Amino acid sequence: MKYYDRLSIELSRPGRKGFGLREAPAGALDCIPAYLRRESAPKLPELSEPDVVRHYTMLSQMNFGVDTGFYPLGSCTMKYNPKINEEAATALEGVHPLQKAHKGAAAVAEGLDKALAEITGMSHFTFQPCAGAHGELTGLMIIKEWHLRRGDTARTKVIVPDSAHGTNPASAAVCGFHVVEVKSTPEGLVDTEVLKSIVGPDVAAIMLTNPNTLGLFEKDIKEIASIVHDCGGLLYYDGANMNPLLGAVRPGDMGFDVMHLNLHKTFSTPHGGGGPGSGPVGVRKGLEEIADSVKVSGFHGNFGVMLRAYAYILSLGRENVPMAGRLATLAANYIKECLKDCYKLPIDTVCKHEFVFDGLLEPNGVSTLDVAKRLLDYGFHAPTIYFPLLFHQAIMIEPTETESLETLDAFIEVMRRIAEEAKEDPELLHTAPHNTPIGRPDETTAARNPILHW
Amino acid sequence: MPGFRYFPCTDGDISRMLDRIGAASLDALYSDVPSEYMRSGGYDLPSAMDEQQVREFFRDLASMDPKLKVLVGQGAYDHYTPSVIPYITSRSEFLTAYTPYQCEISQGTLRYIFEWQSLICELTGMDVSNASMYDGPTAAAEAMRMCVACTRKRNTVVAYSGLLPHVLEVLRTYAKYSGVNLVETWDIAETVAEGTLDLAGVIVPDINRYGVIESHKGLAELVHEMGGLLVEYCDPSALAVLKTPAEWGADIAVGDGQSLGIPLGYGGPYVGFMACKQEYMRKLPGRIVGQTTDAEGRRCFVLTLQAREQHIRRDKATSNICSNESLMALWCTVYLTLMGPDGLRRVNELSCAGAHRLHDALIATGLFEEAVEGPFLKEFVLRPLCEVEKLQKCLADAGYFAALETEEGYVTFCVTEKYDDAELDRVVAVIKEGLL
């Protein structure tokens, strides 16, 4: 990666143009009165087409992606993004969202709905939500509506484990619920005794991701489901961690009433530097009509992302779906076993798609941040760090099923080398990364004196 | 077991890894899952397709319906997409990256987001933009919530009934479940001036659902006097020529970036934008990129002001948004950089000239009459004096999606720079032939 320090506006020269449009008739805008017109033209850059292509190509070369290297980012499921999916994504490119009775669009929605329902054990999916957090919010709206239609207005609380993704409590708050946190047991699981003590007629739902953010399967899920159902609440499944269950376990079978999937995680669609994603929400039988009635985005959700996910399912088919989750689980357990003599493993048990170390076994003053930054020097993306909040030095590793054993071994070797470096030359890690286009940025100044545009 | 092209591990690799773990089989890794939940019977899914079959499947899918030229807007506009854009956005380094948490190896993403924020500020006249929202309607919903957050204890947001229908629908949903009192009205000034509301904000469009450009003269002063914030929902393409939200005195500007060259794509992915005045910066939802330096003084960019966000503040965050529509923000950024001020103006001139040509020719057929008053840019409605179903059918048979019927029984048209005079004359000829 090479440092390149330009912004488009700095390449701008008056009179350059990058567009090829026919001339407009003179006075074309005269019909719009002056008081409705802006005073001066916006200061957009003026660049030629080759300038634009080179600028963005140079920018791209300062970026790390799944195609350029291993991306073990916990809870993000950075699996390979198949290229045929990108072709599929353009199938309906010219179709306006208000065109009625579109057979192609209907075939995709129906086919994908059926496939996802089969994979998850739910009855029906709505594709409106544009991302995982949007799915959570939509799911909670569905739950709220269900309670309201039963005339039950007393359910103002949503239970969220302390290990949950930050979006869970945030989504519950946006949906107007009061969030009640439930502490984890020392084994990292939901404490059913504590849960029993907080459920009641004011609980609308519990939000769970299973396996949880420690990568541990909530083995008491049956008891959890009955505790919540018995008090009249519903179970929400946060599908961010669905990957190890892909082809192995169905949330619907475990008693979940409402769930979302992240098509950009489990179903291989690219993350695009932070979206577009897609967070379809599945519901059990009886909630389908409510699910379809909740309108949370402009048209039909991120249809282009749905097309990609559908291509993925058709490519895997019933023959290969059962392998996806198992191979992801295999890779995570392999890394965990190969590194637990160098990194602190607070909960030493079989994991699912991811697991969490609590820093180095012999830190010698080296923090998780230092380890993460040093990994960049060796050509790997860092794991998720300082999450979940249960451990101070959390390093959350999720390898996915699309990495070769050679890649996993190379990562393990580098992690071990970093553990050695920590003992011998901690300063090298405190000042890492050393081989990247920039070093650690001054984030304090960025927040204190925000410069947010040119 | 048979291999699959996305799974690199061979049978030998799997055995080696299981040995290292000390597990007897892949299923032994699921010993913590109660056996009743392990799916034993397989899945009722289609059989795996090879790549050629997948390609053909989607080609067949694309040809199930006739391809129509689009002369309808209503929140999704058929502007031309320059070839450079999909070429740039499909670069793996952009496409297959995650959110730029590790800034040292994400400067590409962070820089284009900074450019996007800057461009949105230029178009809207606002001080601060975030990194993107899901789409225009959800950006409007977040603006509604932001009005409540910025005004403390005030809970009523007044929305103009002339907002696009899909924007109003999403506002209603968010208002209902997050407890905002949403009031819809055709007469904003009267509703606000009554002064009986605990007014948090007012949402108005730059161009209403009939395509008419709205004047907001004096509105900001009135709203501010009543203690609320003014939000403007804008078409960013039109902002090249129309009075900006800042010039109208708005506090927050939102809208959909789709009109900046994003293909129709049956409704998504698009991208919402959201910008505001400096004083409300810390109430903005979502990600924001800021400029700083590294230890060697090199200019660089980072995610900043994160204390507003869900991964730090959990239930106290300004919003639950996490993933946004970053790649589509890149799409619009490249579009605006290619077009520049002159290109974006040209898009508006060509669209405006075409729309007026079509409008006048349709009136001249005697099959339509004016429905609403006021200046328009690229979109307009007419009152049909003919049978709408027959009109739509004759257009569809000739390859056009046009004359979509509105709730009021008007028909709506939209013309972009993609349609030249000859094409528009053909549309009129088709209508005449079919209905006269």
Side-chain angles (χ1 to χ4, degrees):
Chain A
M1 285 186 197
K2 203 170 73 185
Y3 179 62
Y4 164 72
D5 186 26
R6 285 286 195 281
L7 294 169
S8 59
I9 197 73
E10 295 159 0
L11 301 168
S12 178
R13 296 292 177 272
R16 280 207 185 124
K17 62 177 227 175
F19 64 94
L21 286 170
R22 65 186 184 280
E23 291 296 325
L29 297 170
D30 288 353
C31 54
I32 302 170
Y35 73 95
L36 296 175
R37 305 267 289 272
R38 67 184 290 158
E39 278 164 23
S40 57
K43 288 185 204 66
L44 307 179
E46 294 179 76
L47 271 66
S48 69
E49 185 173 316
D51 295 333
V52 173
V53 171
R54 187 162 296 157
H55 174 63
Y56 290 102
T57 303
M58 297 286 277
L59 287 189
S60 77
Q61 289 175 344
M62 290 194 287
N63 246 22
F64 189 97
V66 171
D67 285 359
T68 55
F70 183 44
Y71 221 124
L73 199 61
S75 271
C76 298
T77 314
M78 298 299 284
K79 63 170 75 176
Y80 170 66
N81 310 132
K83 304 312 164 198
I84 188 70
N85 298 3
E86 297 303 309
E87 278 187 37
T90 60
L92 301 183
E93 207 169 55
V95 183
H96 193 280
L98 298 175
Q99 274 178 249
K100 292 192 184 76
H102 196 274
K103 295 191 201 84
V108 174
E110 278 166 34
L112 187 57
D113 184 11
K114 196 161 168 252
L116 295 181
E118 171 66 11
I119 287 168
T120 59
M122 307 309 282
S123 173
H124 170 59
F125 277 82
T126 167
F127 293 99
Q128 285 259 314
C130 298
H134 204 203
E136 292 173 13
L137 176 59
T138 308
L140 290 168
M141 287 173 173
I142 292 167
I143 288 170
K144 198 170 200 179
E145 183 66 26
W146 183 73
H147 287 306
L148 289 176
R149 287 196 190 181
R150 293 185 305 112
D152 189 345
T153 55
R155 296 188 181 269
T156 54
K157 291 180 183 168
V158 164
I159 300 172
V160 178
D162 58 0
S163 63
H165 297 117
T167 49
N168 286 189
S171 298
V174 172
C175 200
F177 287 113
H178 180 63
V179 177
V180 182
E181 202 173 82
V182 52
K183 285 235 175 304
S184 301
T185 62
E187 293 76 40
L189 301 175
V190 169
D191 191 324
T192 53
E193 290 310 311
V194 174
L195 182 62
K196 273 181 207 160
S197 72
I198 55 179
V199 294
D202 55 353
V203 169
I206 184 170
M207 299 180 84
L208 278 185
T209 184
N210 191 16
N212 63 25
T213 58
L214 298 171
L216 305 176
F217 192 86
E218 296 281 358
K219 55 185 171 33
D220 298 325
I221 182 61
K222 193 172 188 175
E223 190 189 351
I224 294 169
S226 57
I227 292 170
V228 176
H229 281 152
D230 288 350
C231 89
L234 297 186
L235 262 73
Y236 183 84
Y237 182 82
D238 168 359
N241 290 0
M242 177 71 195
N243 204 41
L245 306 194
L246 179 55
V249 183
R250 309 196 313 168
D253 295 343
M254 293 188 279
F256 286 95
D257 303 286
V258 181
M259 69 174 290
H260 81 266
L261 288 167
N262 297 65
L263 298 187
H264 48 292
K265 294 180 180 177
T266 317
F267 294 90
S268 84
T269 76
H271 283 71
S278 172
V281 170
V283 295
R284 67 153 163 76
K285 216 167 165 34
L287 293 172
E288 299 94 333
E289 192 266 319
I290 295 178
D292 286 337
S293 75
V294 176
K295 173 92 178 154
V296 291
S297 65
F299 296 108
H300 316 288
N302 282 344
F303 214 83
V305 181
M306 292 164 58
L307 283 159
R308 289 178 174 92
Y310 197 29
Y312 177 72
I313 292 170
L314 294 175
S315 297
L316 262 68
R318 62 168 171 265
E319 296 84 353
N320 299 298
V321 161
M323 285 305 284
R326 286 172 171 84
L327 290 173
T329 298
L330 176 70
N333 279 284
Y334 179 72
I335 295 177
K336 171 171 66 72
E337 290 304 313
C338 292
L339 287 177
K340 70 180 188 185
D341 60 333
C342 306
Y343 291 84
K344 191 173 158 196
L345 181 63
I347 299 168
D348 188 0
T349 176
V350 66
C351 67
K352 293 279 104 36
H353 64 307
E354 67 190 7
F355 62 92
V356 179
F357 286 132
D358 188 10
L360 284 155
L361 265 184
E362 296 175 56
N364 193 24
V366 168
S367 70
T368 279
L369 182 67
D370 297 338
V371 173
K373 295 303 180 193
R374 186 62 179 152
L375 268 170
L376 309 183
D377 279 337
Y378 287 107
F380 293 111
H381 197 279
T384 295
I385 53 174
Y386 301 110
F387 183 83
L389 309 173
L390 304 184
F391 308 114
H392 292 304
Q393 293 293 325
I395 305 176
M396 184 194 218
I397 297 174
E398 178 182 6
T400 86
E401 71 280 14
T402 62
E403 297 300 334
S404 68
L405 181 53
E406 289 81 356
T407 300
L408 302 181
D409 282 339
F411 174 73
I412 289 162
E413 195 194 316
V414 162
M415 286 289 281
R416 300 187 71 87
R417 192 181 304 167
I418 292 172
E420 285 306 309
E421 287 174 350
K423 290 178 213 163
E424 290 156 14
D425 186 4
E427 191 53 27
L428 180 69
L429 305 192
H430 296 324
T431 52
H434 304 282
N435 308 329
T436 48
I438 59 160
R440 289 191 205 185
D442 180 355
E443 299 195 30
T444 314
T445 303
R448 197 166 292 159
N449 304 308
I451 303 173
L452 308 179
H453 60 80
W454 60 49
Chain B
M1 83 200 55
F4 179 68
R5 61 186 178 279
Y6 303 157
F7 305 153
C9 284
T10 64
D11 286 354
D13 295 337
I14 293 170
S15 305
R16 219 189 101 197
M17 292 160 80
L18 285 172
D19 280 352
R20 181 68 183 78
I21 297 164
S25 67
L26 286 173
D27 277 9
L29 300 172
Y30 289 77
S31 57
D32 50 350
V33 177
S35 57
E36 60 186 299
Y37 297 139
M38 282 302 289
R39 184 78 177 165
S40 52
Y43 287 79
D44 180 17
L45 292 169
S47 202
M49 290 184 188
D50 64 32
E51 190 178 298
Q52 187 181 339
Q53 289 172 315
V54 174
R55 175 175 289 171
E56 281 163 10
F57 178 89
F58 285 96
R59 280 194 184 155
D60 290 349
L61 193 94
S63 58
M64 284 168 81
D65 305 84
K67 294 244 180 315
L68 303 181
K69 292 181 177 174
V70 175
L71 291 154
V72 166
Q74 295 294 294
Y77 303 95
D78 192 21
H79 287 291
Y80 182 73
T81 305
S83 58
V84 166
I85 302 175
Y87 177 84
I88 293 292
T89 56
S90 57
R91 283 190 68 93
S92 288
E93 298 91 332
F94 288 135
L95 182 68
T96 72
Y98 194 73
T99 300
Y101 288 131
Q102 294 295 333
C103 60
E104 295 88 345
I105 52 170
S106 310
Q107 285 297 301
T109 301
L110 288 159
R111 278 195 183 237
Y112 81 64
I113 295 174
F114 186 81
E115 291 187 355
W116 152 269
Q117 290 174 180
S118 304
L119 293 164
I120 291 298
C121 288
E122 284 296 335
L123 287 174
T124 59
M126 290 285 152
D127 303 319
V128 189
S129 161
N130 74 7
S132 78
M133 308 300 291
Y134 305 132
D135 65 3
T138 59
E142 289 279 11
M144 172 180 70
R145 295 187 54 251
M146 191 171 151
C147 288
V148 171
C150 289
T151 55
R152 286 170 188 273
K153 294 190 180 162
R154 287 168 169 261
N155 196 40
T156 296
V157 173
V158 176
Y160 181 52
S161 298
L163 283 159
L164 287 162
H166 71 316
V167 176
L168 282 175
E169 276 184 272
V170 174
L171 284 177
R172 284 179 204 132
T173 306
Y174 273 71
K176 176 175 180 183
Y177 297 106
S178 61
V180 176
N181 179 34
L182 179 71
V183 176
E184 296 175 37
T185 175
W186 282 104
D187 195 334
I188 290 275
E190 191 187 283
T191 307
V192 172
E194 268 176 25
T196 55
L197 302 165
D198 58 340
L199 188 73
V202 167
I203 309 178
V204 293
D206 60 346
I207 299 175
N208 70 25
R209 63 203 300 172
Y210 309 125
V212 173
I213 305 163
E214 294 273 349
S215 169
H216 304 306
K217 197 163 182 295
L219 182 60
E221 291 78 2
L222 176 64
V223 173
H224 292 153
E225 200 177 300
M226 294 297 170
L229 271 60
L230 181 61
V231 180
E232 191 177 326
Y233 189 93
C234 329
D235 173 353
S237 174
L239 284 179
V241 296
L242 296 188
K243 190 162 273 198
T244 65
E247 286 170 336
W248 286 122
D251 303 285
I252 302 171
V254 291
D256 205 308
Q258 187 277 333
S259 60
L260 301 174
I262 297 180
L264 296 166
Y266 200 59
Y270 296 167
V271 53
F273 67 85
M274 188 160 188
C276 69
K277 285 187 179 162
Q278 185 74 29
E279 58 195 294
Y280 304 114
M281 174 177 74
R282 285 173 204 275
K283 295 286 184 198
L284 266 180
R287 294 182 178 128
I288 298 176
V289 169
Q291 180 182 313
T292 185
T293 50
D294 71 359
E296 290 181 34
R298 284 175 293 209
R299 178 168 65 171
C300 59
F301 299 85
V302 293
L303 292 173
T304 193
L305 304 175
Q306 296 190 70
R308 302 163 297 109
E309 292 188 70
Q310 48 78 28
H311 62 284
I312 310 280
R313 294 294 300 281
R314 299 176 77 85
D315 58 327
K316 304 285 188 297
T318 55
S319 166
N320 67 328
I321 191 168
C322 181
S323 281
N324 47 46
E325 305 282 310
S326 196
L327 196 75
M328 306 319 289
L330 172 62
W331 191 289
C332 299
T333 300
V334 178
Y335 178 85
L336 288 168
T337 309
L338 279 170
M339 302 310 285
D342 295 343
L344 201 60
R345 183 185 166 87
R346 184 85 58 86
V347 165
N348 280 282
E349 289 170 337
L350 289 167
S351 304
C352 188
H356 284 79
R357 183 186 183 90
L358 181 65
H359 171 271
D360 295 352
L362 290 174
I363 292 286
T365 62
L367 293 164
F368 306 89
E369 60 183 25
E370 299 280 6
V372 294
E373 298 242 325
F376 63 92
L377 187 64
K378 63 187 169 195
E379 191 167 14
F380 60 90
V381 294
L382 295 174
R383 189 189 308 280
L385 304 173
C386 53
E387 202 186 314
V388 172
E389 214 168 300
K390 204 170 158 196
L391 169 69
Q392 289 173 341
K393 187 172 181 316
C394 87
L395 283 164
D397 289 347
Y400 296 105
F401 174 57
L404 183 73
E405 196 170 13
T406 69
E407 287 166 19
E408 305 84 354
Y410 305 149
V411 285
T412 168
F413 293 87
C414 181
V415 180
T416 67
E417 77 286 4
K418 276 175 79 169
Y419 302 101
D420 62 13
D421 290 351
E423 183 86 58
L424 298 172
D425 292 349
R426 205 170 88 79
V427 173
V428 177
V430 164
I431 292 174
K432 280 186 181 165
E433 225 167 87
L435 296 165
L436 285 178

